[in-house]
Amino acid sequence: LHKNAKLLAVKPMDCVLRVKNDAWRNLDLRDYIVGGAIDGNGLASCLVLDRCWGYRLSNLKLFNPKKYGLVAGKGVVELDASGVYVLTRKHGLSGNTGIYACGGDNHFTDIFVLDCTIGVRSKGASNRFTRIHVWGGSLPRRTPDEVPEMLIDSVSFWIEGHSNLLRDCYSDTGGTGFLIDGAW
């Protein structure tokens, strides 16, 4: 996508962009999305990947996800995601997740997730997270006298799958920094 390209949800829907690729049958490797922005606009998840093998994401901005910024589904393996920026600036999106990794053997690097209730959630196995910075806090005030909306019960990194590796990952102002839940 051109760096100024933007896909924007204008009505409620499941997701703005879903990539469904039967890579296991076609062995279609190294497809990619580079650049641009996907804005859920508080009405939709931003990007959902299904059954992608060897996919690449880079320099991509994901804004205002209703439920998820990026979903790497169960059939997603060997995803290389770098330079992804997830940001929530709309009110009323409590409970959303920046990155949800269900697949395995994926690598997420140099990613920022700001103001999502769950920064990164990994249910998949053998995912690598390198230089991920999750920052939770308050959303901008709509009026000067409004009390800021805080991210209640926020978790920066929620790890459920086994053999996940986190290196140089940072949790800023999340209610819980790292939640290890049933990983073995």
Side-chain angles (χ1 to χ4, degrees):
L1 297 173
H2 185 275
K3 68 178 183 175
N4 294 327
K6 185 176 189 179
L7 302 175
L8 175 70
V10 295
K11 66 177 187 172
M13 60 182 76
D14 185 44
C15 61
V16 176
L17 178 62
R18 179 181 303 273
V19 177
K20 201 170 192 178
N21 185 357
D22 197 356
W24 296 105
R25 187 174 337 162
N26 301 327
L27 290 179
D28 190 10
L29 300 173
R30 304 313 298 166
D31 286 336
Y32 57 90
I33 298 174
V34 176
I38 301 171
D39 191 341
N41 201 20
L43 300 169
S45 292
C46 296
L47 174 60
V48 176
L49 301 175
D50 285 332
R51 297 190 307 260
C52 297
W53 181 15
Y55 214 81
R56 179 174 169 76
L57 303 174
S58 66
N59 301 322
L60 181 63
K61 297 176 284 294
L62 305 171
F63 297 125
N64 304 306
K66 180 175 182 176
K67 191 168 183 182
Y68 301 109
L70 167 64
V71 176
K74 288 183 181 180
V76 176
V77 295
E78 297 178 8
L79 170 67
D80 178 8
S82 64
V84 176
Y85 188 84
V86 184
L87 173 66
T88 300
R89 294 309 321 151
K90 288 193 171 275
H91 292 266
L93 297 177
S94 177
N96 66 359
T97 298
I99 296 174
Y100 187 38
C102 300
D105 294 326
N106 299 306
H107 192 187
F108 301 86
T109 186
D110 296 321
I111 293 175
F112 291 87
V113 179
L114 285 76
D115 299 331
C116 290
T117 304
I118 307 297
V120 173
R121 183 175 179 188
S122 181
K123 289 186 87 164
S126 301
N127 289 308
R128 295 171 313 284
F129 300 94
T130 306
R131 292 183 308 275
I132 310 298
H133 190 157
V134 177
W135 179 357
S138 63
L139 295 173
R141 297 172 192 234
R142 290 177 276 204
T143 63
D145 58 336
E146 179 185 43
V147 175
E149 180 179 338
M150 298 299 290
L151 297 174
I152 306 299
D153 299 325
S154 61
V155 177
S156 295
F157 295 89
W158 183 358
I159 307 300
E160 296 176 89
H162 64 84
S163 304
N164 285 278
L165 174 66
L166 286 78
R167 178 176 288 142
D168 296 326
C169 291
Y170 301 94
S171 167
D172 270 339
T173 64
T176 299
F178 298 87
L179 173 62
I180 310 300
D181 186 10
W184 46 275

